[in-house]
Amino acid sequence: YKDSRSWSERFLLNKRKPISLVYLNSFGMSIYFVLNLAYYFFFRKFLDNDIIIEEGNFRDNENINNHQVKSPSVWPLQAIHLSENNAMHVSKEKGDYLDKIYNMSFTDYSEKIEDSQWWVDCRKEFKEFFYVDNKIDLNKIASFRDGIPTKAALLTDSTWVFKKSGYAMKNTIRVLNLVARYHLYSRVVDHDILRMTSESYSGNSRCVLYRGQRLSFRILRHSYYFSQIRKFSGFGREDNIRVMDIGGGYGNLLRIFAHYYKNGTYILIEQPEVIVFAVHFLSECFPDRKIGTILEIGEINDKVFEEYDFIILPTSKLDSFPDESIDLITSTTSIGEMSTKMQKYVYGQIERMSNKYFYSNNREHGGRGIFSDDFGFVDYQFTKKWHSTLYQKSHTYHIETFMEKLK
């Protein structure tokens, strides 16, 4: 075990820590993996009763709901999904609203932005799957994270459990790998953040329940990003901060921010298709907070920042934000998916908009894999003065840096 040592004023009364405070090292995880895999092979259940796979109609499963309360977790329960109340369906009124947002966002975006071939292909894929006769398919949007067959990891990483029959052993291996990642991340993520990290039900994703938390590959990665940002930014929990996530997907990282820093204003910049997911997702996670989109927001000023809790706009609106108006800008494995021209535009806007911090975890160079443009983070010539508090090769094989803008 790792971080499991304890002491007592009376030696003979020394006891082991609660299991919720124990994290496994590499050796312990190897033994754990083998024992649970072998046990599942013979008995079709895990040796560790705290592992639950969300299968079937899992949201109505009383055993799963009761398990979240009885699991060996820190008390009171920390998992953020427990404070959310997500619907399983999308109303026609909301569908019409999302259609209007998409159409207006796409018009503005297509007039100004040049896409990489990667996003051209993704756009075609999204349109074919989520739209019928140029209208959003309400059922598919309601379950947009439930194992959608797409090349975009944005959606495939959200569900970690195969729902098709015949995948029992493959699911078992994936589940144990995910639990291993949880313990691996305990080495680099502050434990209070790791304990609260949990997937939302919005989008009907299928996750692994472990220690009362809904785990996926993506949410664990976001816990790392958030932990790093909290460590280097020094923001107070009551601070009224402005945070912008460029290429932030449907808003899962900003969701963690909004649960932790409740007074902030959170801005999501994305592709028109992904904006539809984001508006649906964040409105379900935070039904009492106000979301502004391209339909409601014209000129962006201090009044807009005060009025809205979330602002969700296409990349084409970056140049509408005032100079030095954003306290923290983040970009995690997103700018590298853009064309060279677009990357230069976005980095330029970041330098202009940033008031203090920029956290980036992006490709060092281009020209690799699915992204053909030979351009990356180290190829951009920054014009402002920045101090890199953090600069390292991350576990995602990108350059990770936390930069403070010098006045």
Side-chain angles (χ1 to χ4, degrees), residues 176-187:
L176 291 175
N177 273 329
L178 189 61
V179 173
R181 286 176 186 266
Y182 179 88
H183 288 276
L184 188 63
Y185 271 98
S186 73
R187 304 176 186 179

Side-chain angles (χ1 to χ4, degrees), residues 86-91 94 97-98 101 138 140-144 201-204 250 274-286 291 312:
N86 305 128
M88 295 181 66
H89 307 287
V90 177
S91 67
K94 188 173 186 180
Y97 175 63
L98 294 175
I101 293 172
L138 301 183
K140 289 183 177 178
I141 286 295
S143 298
F144 78 94
Y201 281 115
S202 181
N204 292 328
Y250 48 81
V274 183
I275 284 175
V276 172
F277 303 143
V279 173
H280 169 60
F281 179 81
L282 290 172
S283 64
E284 288 223 312
C285 295
F286 303 99
I291 296 177
I312 305 175

Side-chain angles (χ1 to χ4, degrees), residues 74-85:
V74 173
W75 193 261
L77 299 175
Q78 306 290 298
I80 56 177
H81 80 274
L82 296 171
S83 65
E84 300 171 348
N85 185 19

Side-chain angles (χ1 to χ4, degrees), residues 241-360:
I241 57 175
R242 298 174 186 173
V243 178
M244 174 185 287
D245 194 4
I246 298 178
Y250 48 81
N252 219 355
L253 178 57
L254 289 184
R255 169 177 167 259
I256 298 176
F257 267 97
H259 273 290
Y260 192 87
Y261 300 108
K262 296 185 182 295
N263 295 327
T265 299
Y266 301 105
I267 304 122
L268 181 66
I269 303 295
E270 256 298 354
Q271 302 277 352
E273 291 76 17
V274 183
I275 284 175
V276 172
F277 303 143
V279 173
H280 169 60
F281 179 81
L282 290 172
S283 64
E284 288 223 312
C285 295
F286 303 99
D288 297 327
R289 301 201 197 183
K290 193 171 183 180
I291 296 177
T293 71
I294 196 169
L295 296 183
E296 296 87 12
I297 296 175
E299 180 184 358
I300 300 174
N301 49 36
D302 288 341
K303 183 179 179 181
V304 170
F305 291 128
E306 293 170 3
E307 182 176 356
Y308 295 100
D309 301 293
F310 291 96
I311 297 171
I312 305 175
L313 294 172
T315 317
S316 51
K317 289 296 185 183
L318 277 178
D319 56 9
S320 299
F321 286 86
D323 294 353
E324 299 189 339
S325 59
I326 311 299
D327 299 310
L328 167 68
I329 301 175
T330 68
S331 171
T332 55
T333 68
S334 57
I335 296 181
E337 297 179 5
M338 303 174 185
S339 65
T340 296
K341 179 179 179 181
M342 191 62 189
Q343 289 186 56
K344 292 179 179 179
Y345 166 75
V346 170
Y347 281 126
Q349 293 300 320
I350 289 171
E351 289 213 89
R352 182 187 63 80
M353 294 183 298
S354 173
N355 178 46
K356 197 165 189 181
Y357 298 125
F358 175 40
Y359 176 76
S360 171

Side-chain angles (χ1 to χ4, degrees), residues 47 118 142 267:
L47 180 62
W118 163 251
I267 304 122

Side-chain angles (χ1 to χ4, degrees), residues 19-32:
I19 193 65
S20 59
L21 299 179
V22 173
Y23 299 94
L24 301 177
N25 58 23
S26 297
F27 178 74
M29 199 63 242
S30 298
I31 299 300
Y32 178 92

Side-chain angles (χ1 to χ4, degrees), residues 146-244:
D146 189 14
I148 302 302
T150 171
K151 65 179 66 176
L154 169 69
L155 301 184
T156 57
D157 285 350
S158 301
T159 286
W160 202 248
V161 179
F162 293 109
K163 61 180 179 179
K164 295 180 181 179
S165 60
Y167 281 85
M169 285 307 297
K170 193 169 184 177
N171 267 342
T172 302
I173 294 172
R174 284 170 64 86
V175 166
L176 291 175
N177 273 329
L178 189 61
V179 173
R181 286 176 186 266
Y182 179 88
H183 288 276
L184 188 63
Y185 271 98
S186 73
R187 304 176 186 179
V188 291
V189 177
D190 290 338
H191 289 175
D192 65 316
I193 300 302
L194 187 63
R195 289 191 292 261
M196 67 178 269
T197 299
S198 188
E199 277 283 7
S200 168
Y201 281 115
S202 181
N204 292 328
S205 63
R206 295 170 186 271
C207 296
V208 179
L209 268 176
Y210 181 67
R211 296 189 175 182
Q213 298 168 246
R214 302 186 72 240
L215 301 183
S216 72
F217 173 85
R218 185 163 289 265
I219 197 69
L220 287 177
R221 183 181 282 192
H222 285 153
S223 74
Y224 171 79
Y225 296 149
F226 181 80
S227 182
Q228 291 287 82
I229 291 169
R230 186 184 69 163
K231 184 186 304 179
F232 289 100
S233 69
F235 292 138
R237 292 200 71 164
E238 302 301 319
D239 289 354
N240 186 4
I241 57 175
R242 298 174 186 173
V243 178
M244 174 185 287

